[in-house]
Amino acid sequence: QVQLVESGGGMVQPGGSLRLSCAASGIVFEIYHLQWLRQAPGKGRKLVATITSGGRIEYDYSVKGRFTISRDNAKNTLFLQMNNLKPADTAVYYCFAYLDDEYWGQGTQVTVSS
């Protein structure tokens, strides 16, 4: 059974930082491409960052320079380091693994508010 389990969300003030983790099981983690997506209240799910199995990284323009995606294949874990958070970053954050098949995590809430 494949599981992706996010953690690390919470409430933080503007300018603060959070580190999200996504622990995977049931897949050959290192061959999957991985993404973080987020869904703000009343909006659709939006791609935040991608890291491929080969280590190629891409970011949405709205988070470039503030967020860092990384992966630890030895620990089957995906990370998202989020710095200088803004209220516009408030959303449920999801990890997503894809190759020939696709898997989603359950999401973790990030709230940026003073």
Side-chain angles (χ1 to χ4, degrees), residues 85-97:
L85 282 159
K86 305 175 181 181
D89 297 317
T90 295
V92 178
Y93 284 71
Y94 298 90
C95 63
F96 177 62

Side-chain angles (χ1 to χ4, degrees), residues 6 14 19 22 28 30 38 58 65 74-75 83 96-97 99 101:
E6 298 99 335
R19 189 190 196 207
C22 173
V28 182
E30 59 263 30
R38 65 187 180 186
E58 294 181 350
K75 296 183 178 179
N83 298 329
F96 177 62
L99 195 59
D101 44 2

Side-chain angles (χ1 to χ4, degrees), residues 72-85:
D72 185 337
N73 290 335
K75 296 183 178 179
N76 288 1
T77 304
L78 172 69
F79 301 101
L80 186 67
Q81 177 66 44
M82 305 186 295
N83 298 329
N84 191 21
L85 282 159

Side-chain angles (χ1 to χ4, degrees), residues 5-69:
V5 180
E6 298 99 335
S7 61
M11 180 175 287
V12 65
Q13 292 186 341
S17 298
L18 285 173
R19 189 190 196 207
L20 304 184
S21 299
C22 173
S25 59
I27 59 173
V28 182
F29 184 78
E30 59 263 30
I31 68 173
Y32 277 76
H33 310 307
L34 305 169
Q35 294 179 330
W36 287 102
L37 298 94
R38 65 187 180 186
Q39 187 165 16
K43 297 188 177 181
R45 206 165 287 190
K46 183 177 178 182
L47 179 62
V48 173
T50 300
I51 183 167
T52 68
S53 59
R56 183 169 59 90
I57 291 173
E58 294 181 350
Y59 297 100
D60 181 75
Y61 74 94
S62 65
V63 306
K64 210 166 188 177
R66 301 187 298 121
F67 290 12
T68 302
I69 189 172

